[in-house]
Amino acid sequence: MPQFLAATTVHLPDLISDLGLILITAAIAVLLFRMLKQPLVLGYLVAGFLAGSEFDFFPTVKDVNSVKVWAEIGVIFLLFSLGLEFSFKKLMKVGGTASITAFTQIIAMVTIGFFVGQLMGWNKMNSIFLGVILSISSTTIILKTFDELGVKSQKFAGNVIGSLIVQDIIAILMMVLLSTIAVSQQFSGMELVFSVLKLLFFLTIWFVVGIFFIPTLLKKAKHLLTDEMLLIISLALCLLMVIFAAGVGFSPALGAFIMGSIIAETTQAEHIEHLVKPVKDLFGAVFFVSVGMLINPETLVEYALPVAILTLVVIFGQSLSSAIGALLSGQPLKQSIQTGMSLSQIGEFSFIIATLGTTLKVTSDFLYPIVVAVSAITTFTTPFMVKFAAPFSGYVEKKLPRKWVKRIQLYSANTEEIKSISNWQIVLRSYLIQVVIHSIIIVAVILLSSNFILPLVQGSRFGNATAALITLIILSPFLWALSLRRVAVKEVSILMEEKKHQGPIIMLVIFRIVLTLFYVGFVLNTFFSSGVAFIAFMLAIGAYILFPKRLHAVYNKIESHFLSNFNDREIRKENKRQNTLSPWDGHMAEFEIAKESNLAGKTLEELTIREQFGINIASIRRGEVLINIPIRTERLFPGDEISVIGTDDQVKDFKNYLDKNEIDVPEEVEQTEIILQKLELKNRVCIGKSIRESQIREKTHGIIVGIERNGKRILNPESHLVLEDSDILWIAGEKKKIAEFLKV
């Protein structure tokens, strides 16, 4: 027998056994941390520590390199999911409040982190990475904390989430810059500028091309796609963009984030996010466990003082800098303090940036475990910081001089009023967007043509002319738009009414035309010699002048398709209103009427919501139907999404009201078996009575679905039918109740 077992033993690859060990350890750890009501990220870190080589009392991972591959996949899917949640459009709508808060926090924390690293005797590269690591708050931890504490509907939460969107974008940019610094080992201003321009160039191209094609693909194939196919296509697109990003020298995580942001603009974004979540959770768990595996207890003991110092720097530095940023953006004192205290931690992006330093071998070995330790501690403190932010803001308001509090209130009120933008600002912004986007598209087409189209046709007699012609045909609508397309028409006409504005407006138009001519000349010079290029240039200008309407029509078609894809999600599910519908401390919050709610079916007049809580219902969304400013006779139905306007306290009271009116569904419901039972009536008391009078329905919790009488069959008999002797009844009902009835 032992020989048989030995002969049939199969060697299990280390990759599978390691993954099994990681997931088993993670499962046990997260169950314990869930019972202790602590963030799951901490559980993953503990699981990684237990599965790592530093902990001898537990089975250890054998192949660390394979785990690193799994962890890199985890980073990719984490950032893909972040992109699905935070689209570019959301970034544009964040506005000044969140942008000012995020920029203030990041600039302050990068500076503080760098100087703290220098004071602790670390080298410049460690200090730079430390500053960036300490400047990015954790989206995952904050969102989970908001869900657990039920504060997501409060006004400050919107400011925090907006700041996180800006931080995530800046973090991606800083990762690119850190890679450049790490490779060059010097602070070359020109290299940094080149890296930023390269990043902006590829971001624009990927975004424009992605929005133009991907929503169309998903829309056309919608009727063919099952959940399985949609998941596979989404992950394929993600990994395709990862390959593109790596191919042009960027982080794979950047490609994943960009593709997530593109898919976030499609009408199927929520569904895709739901499908991707289990994949993200699986590989995300592996990533966080792999982070925990790198924790070295000896290093933590040796660097206990830096861990303590950096923890205090994060908690107080993040809180203070974010609160100051929120105040500068015009937020009231209470919301500013709540925003600051919510952002007082580091998380997944800090791990990714620390991993980048380790991968590039430009940071010391001690930095990574220190970052993990600081993140673990600040993750633990985050719920307490959010919970005590409101009481602490009240305490601060009482302790501050009354004059300061009034000035903050006045500044906040004045900031809310400064919403108007001058006509010149609108015109300059429109012209800048027009020039930048079309220039990037034109340069991209020229580069693609010279690298791919030209080599294909270069050997033929008219190869260069063919390549130039194809390139100009592709570029023609964009060249027309760059030079002659009218933008900000209303504002330009207003400015042109005054003589002092006419000159600058004309100069802007001339600049666009000259830039267009430069691009036409650049294309022709790429494919021809100077003399031939000049003749071709004149012919191209002639064709360009002769067909303006055709070019206009083609460009409008391209632009309409792009805008349709870009706005399709919002056309079907209108933008959640911004908080500008409510003055002062009021804001917009959204709730869903539960299927088990007692409120379902009642009119707004019957519910007296405004009278009870002082809030207004601004809109009701019912499937694809949106009811704006509903009248008092409008009813609420299960699944309705309602938007309400009120203060934080009013919204909180209303949420409690919704929760109280949900019908409690028992966790364990006794399962009753429904059967079809044949019953022959002989000498029963129900003979001579109608079906209704016999009370068979009540006694069996069932219904008579058929009667056999004198060879005839009656399906679903009427309730007034009188039962006769020897009738055969077919009863559908509860097995237990029917059995009891038969005994009688």
Side-chain angles (χ1 to χ4, degrees), residues 226-239:
T226 61
D227 284 356
E228 180 183 2
M229 292 169 64
L230 188 59
L231 174 62
I232 291 170
I233 289 172
S234 302
L235 296 182
L237 289 171
C238 168
L239 294 176

Side-chain angles (χ1 to χ4, degrees), residues 46 97 124 179 303 368 444 485 604 620 715:
V46 171
T97 300
K124 270 191 176 179
S179 300
Y303 291 93
Y368 199 103
R485 182 174 178 269
L604 299 182
I620 301 173
L715 181 66

Side-chain angles (χ1 to χ4, degrees), residues 87-256:
S87 65
F88 281 106
K89 193 178 291 183
K90 283 185 180 179
L91 177 64
M92 291 189 291
K93 291 173 184 172
V94 161
T97 300
S99 300
I100 293 171
T101 303
F103 275 105
T104 304
Q105 174 190 343
I106 287 173
I107 292 169
M109 290 307 297
V110 168
T111 306
I112 292 170
F114 177 79
F115 283 112
V116 168
Q118 292 287 284
L119 289 172
M120 291 191 296
W122 295 2
N123 62 36
K124 270 191 176 179
M125 198 59 70
N126 281 334
S127 299
I128 292 170
F129 270 82
L130 177 65
V132 176
I133 286 168
L134 298 186
S135 67
I136 307 296
S137 300
S138 171
T139 302
T140 305
I141 293 166
I142 290 173
L143 291 180
K144 285 185 177 179
T145 302
F146 281 2
D147 280 335
E148 290 170 3
L149 297 179
V151 298
K152 211 169 183 179
S153 59
Q154 295 188 20
K155 189 172 184 179
F156 83 92
N159 300 334
V160 172
I161 292 170
S163 299
L164 290 171
I165 297 172
V166 179
Q167 282 189 32
D168 289 341
I169 297 294
I170 296 174
I172 292 289
L173 175 61
M174 289 195 293
M175 284 172 63
V176 176
L177 297 181
L178 286 174
S179 300
T180 304
I181 293 171
V183 171
S184 63
Q185 290 292 317
Q186 58 182 353
F187 303 96
S188 171
M190 287 306 296
E191 283 190 18
L192 290 179
V193 170
F194 176 76
S195 296
V196 173
L197 292 176
K198 181 182 174 184
L199 176 64
L200 292 175
F201 176 82
F202 280 105
L203 282 178
T204 305
I205 288 298
W206 286 337
F207 182 68
V208 170
V209 174
I211 290 295
F212 192 83
F213 289 107
I214 291 174
T216 305
L217 169 68
L218 294 177
K219 209 185 304 178
K220 297 287 185 185
K222 185 177 180 181
H223 65 288
L224 300 173
L225 295 177
T226 61
D227 284 356
E228 180 183 2
M229 292 169 64
L230 188 59
L231 174 62
I232 291 170
I233 289 172
S234 302
L235 296 182
L237 289 171
C238 168
L239 294 176
L240 181 65
M241 186 60 80
V242 165
I243 294 168
F244 282 159
V248 295
F250 292 127
S251 163
L254 172 64

Side-chain angles (χ1 to χ4, degrees), residues 521 524-537:
L524 296 171
N525 194 53
T526 303
F527 298 102
F528 301 110
S529 62
S530 300
V532 178
F534 179 75
I535 298 170
F537 177 78

Side-chain angles (χ1 to χ4, degrees), residues 167-430:
Q167 282 189 32
D168 289 341
I169 297 294
I170 296 174
I172 292 289
L173 175 61
M174 289 195 293
M175 284 172 63
V176 176
L177 297 181
L178 286 174
S179 300
T180 304
I181 293 171
V183 171
S184 63
Q185 290 292 317
Q186 58 182 353
F187 303 96
S188 171
M190 287 306 296
E191 283 190 18
L192 290 179
V193 170
F194 176 76
S195 296
V196 173
L197 292 176
K198 181 182 174 184
L199 176 64
L200 292 175
F201 176 82
F202 280 105
L203 282 178
T204 305
I205 288 298
W206 286 337
F207 182 68
V208 170
V209 174
I211 290 295
F212 192 83
F213 289 107
I214 291 174
T216 305
L217 169 68
L218 294 177
K219 209 185 304 178
K220 297 287 185 185
K222 185 177 180 181
H223 65 288
L224 300 173
L225 295 177
T226 61
D227 284 356
E228 180 183 2
M229 292 169 64
L230 188 59
L231 174 62
I232 291 170
I233 289 172
S234 302
L235 296 182
L237 289 171
C238 168
L239 294 176
L240 181 65
M241 186 60 80
V242 165
I243 294 168
F244 282 159
V248 295
F250 292 127
S251 163
L254 172 64
F257 186 86
I258 297 302
M259 182 51 68
S261 299
I262 292 169
I263 294 178
E265 305 300 347
T266 67
T267 55
Q268 300 185 56
E270 289 92 349
H271 192 195
I272 292 172
E273 187 178 346
H274 174 72
L275 293 175
V276 169
K277 188 177 184 301
V279 181
K280 183 257 298 187
D281 289 342
L282 172 64
F283 288 105
V286 175
F287 168 69
F288 287 117
V289 169
S290 71
V291 170
M293 288 170 60
L294 295 174
I295 298 175
N296 187 335
E298 293 179 1
T299 305
L300 293 182
V301 171
E302 183 182 351
Y303 291 93
L305 183 59
V307 169
I309 292 171
L310 294 177
T311 299
L312 294 174
V313 167
V314 169
I315 292 174
F316 291 104
Q318 293 269 42
S319 298
L320 188 60
S321 59
S322 300
I324 291 172
L327 283 172
L328 290 174
S329 70
Q331 293 300 301
L333 180 63
K334 179 183 176 182
Q335 289 171 21
S336 298
I337 292 175
Q338 287 178 302
T339 300
M341 292 180 70
S342 299
L343 292 166
S344 59
Q345 76 293 115
I346 58 175
E348 61 278 359
F349 257 119
S350 300
F351 297 152
I352 293 168
I353 293 168
T355 304
L356 179 67
T358 304
T359 305
L360 295 173
K361 297 179 180 179
V362 293
T363 56
S364 303
D365 293 337
F366 61 77
L367 181 61
Y368 199 103
I370 286 176
V371 169
V372 173
V374 173
S375 174
I377 298 170
T378 54
T379 297
F380 178 78
T381 60
T382 295
F384 300 102
M385 296 291 286
V386 175
K387 194 180 294 184
F388 295 114
F392 182 71
S393 65
Y395 173 79
V396 170
E397 192 168 349
K398 287 179 183 177
K399 292 297 180 182
L400 283 177
R402 195 66 193 159
K403 189 185 294 183
W404 290 17
V405 175
K406 284 186 176 179
R407 284 181 179 175
I408 291 172
Q409 291 174 347
L410 182 63
Y411 175 75
S412 176
N414 290 338
T415 306
E416 287 293 321
E417 292 177 6
I418 305 173
K419 298 290 183 183
S420 61
I421 304 174
S422 70
N423 289 327
W424 260 116
Q425 285 177 301
I426 295 171
V427 170
L428 289 175
R429 185 175 62 186
S430 301

Side-chain angles (χ1 to χ4, degrees), residues 42 72 79 155 244 310 432 458 491 495 531 537 548 669 729:
L42 283 178
E72 190 166 352
L79 288 177
K155 189 172 184 179
F244 282 159
L310 294 177
L432 183 64
Q458 203 163 23
E491 288 75 14
L495 291 173
F537 177 78
V669 180
L729 308 184

Side-chain angles (χ1 to χ4, degrees), residues 24 81 96 145 153 184 217 221 314 341 349 354 383-384 395 474 479 510 518 529 557 563 566 641 708 732 735:
I24 290 169
S81 296
T145 302
S153 59
S184 63
L217 169 68
V314 169
M341 292 180 70
F349 257 119
F384 300 102
Y395 173 79
I474 295 171
L479 292 169
I510 292 173
F518 167 77
S529 62
K557 191 174 181 180
L563 292 176
F566 189 60
E641 296 176 10
E708 292 183 25
K735 183 178 181 180

